[in-house]
Amino acid sequence: MKRSIITTKDGSKTIRLEDWDEHYHSTHGAIQESKHVYMEAGLDYYNELYHPKSLKVLEAGFGTGLNALLTYFWAEHHGVSVDYTGLEAYPISSEEHIAMEYHRELDSASAQQVYEDLHQAKWEEWTPISKTFQLKKKKMFFSDLKLKQEVDVVFYDAFGPGVQPELWEAPLFQKFYEALTPGGVFVTYCVKGTARRALQAIGFEVDIIEGPPGKRHMMRAQKPCQ
């Protein structure tokens, strides 16, 4: 499928799938969206609830690696050790990740090197990126996930239900529900009613909360503690 690189409204870049007219991140701002949906509504929320010294993050859709990059800096800032697993069936090319240039929009001298380290990390094995962050990238379909109460926060960053509706249905969500520890948090940009009802049907407690710039709402779901 033909892909092109575009600049979003906050100056950061993302990838557009030409045939689907679908984007890896919001055209209203790639970095803004990731910070709001995954750092603030996901990690900050979990941190405020539990104040963990360490946590495990599972990302469905590693994509450009932006969410992993922001999580790296979140871990450093909060002094929380993070084990980060990213699932991706179709990794982007080295030319594409170099073209993202996220370091230009982030206030960090180390961002370029960290981003390169994330993409140079070998697939299917744990790679320490720093003392507070280690990464495992797994080349696989979400449907092949087999984890049982092993992660604390899920970043669900799949392509939208308009182009891949099967990724927003109960059978697949069940796999992520099972992967989460009791009290674990699931966050996504999507608020489609069918997806919300599918999450609720398998046991998630779902909240519709304020969305990132350019989008009114997003979803945050939580696995009950008992």
Side-chain angles (χ1 to χ4, degrees), residues 110-141:
S110 63
Q112 185 173 11
Q113 185 58 58
V114 172
Y115 189 59
E116 186 64 23
D117 290 344
L118 296 175
H119 280 280
Q120 291 300 322
K122 293 182 179 180
W123 291 80
E124 314 304 334
E125 62 183 61
W126 285 108
T127 301
I129 306 298
S130 72
K131 292 181 179 180
T132 57
F133 188 94
Q134 67 170 342
L135 170 70
K136 180 188 282 187
K137 299 183 294 186
K138 296 180 68 65
K139 188 176 180 180
M140 60 182 286
F141 295 107

Side-chain angles (χ1 to χ4, degrees), residues 3 40 48 66 73 82 85 95 100 118 127 155 158-159 161 166 169 181 223:
R3 304 193 292 204
E40 296 169 14
E48 289 168 7
L66 175 57
F73 288 111
V82 173
T85 302
E95 291 79 11
M100 292 299 101
L118 296 175
T127 301
F155 295 168
F159 291 127
E166 70 279 6
E169 297 173 349
T181 55
K223 184 175 182 176

